[in-house]
Amino acid sequence: MSKTQPVTDADFAQTVLASDKPVLVDFWAEWCGPCRQVSPIVDEIAAEHGDSLTVVKMNIDENPQTPAQYRVVGIPTINVYSGGEVVKSIVGAKPKAALLAELQEFINAAPAGRTAPAGEAGRV
């Protein structure tokens, strides 16, 4: 069972950009109501799909450089990084089903050496 980890401006490049698997970054702030709504959903996604997707959270008030660099102007913003690049950006609070639908290509992709269980390959 995987869980979310905090990420900072100082370790963003190592934790996110250099990762060998896709990384979901939840950009949030304590004062943001919609961020508080999305946070438990992001935690659930980490627990359920941590084998194929690393999930981290960045407090934008404590770490202003990275959000500015990636033009995060509204929160919550969920970016997925792969190969050091942003490959998906989701802005605003969404229900779990909507987030999972947007993340489908990353959570269904089997990591190297692992195949999807019978009946799950190609399932949407």
Side-chain angles (χ1 to χ4, degrees), residues 4-72:
T4 60
Q5 298 293 322
V7 66
T8 66
D9 286 336
D11 62 11
F12 186 83
Q14 179 181 356
T15 303
V16 177
L17 303 180
S19 177
D20 60 352
K21 67 180 180 178
V23 181
L24 181 154
V25 180
D26 176 17
F27 292 96
W28 68 282
E30 289 182 23
W31 49 264
C32 170
C35 297
R36 290 193 301 271
Q37 293 174 329
V38 170
S39 184
I41 296 169
V42 171
D43 293 341
E44 289 174 18
I45 291 171
E48 295 166 7
H49 302 286
D51 55 337
S52 57
L53 186 70
T54 299
V55 180
V56 298
K57 294 184 178 190
M58 177 173 275
N59 182 320
I60 66 163
D61 289 333
E62 295 173 1
N63 302 281
Q65 293 175 341
T66 302
Q69 180 180 352
Y70 288 95
R71 293 178 174 83
V72 174

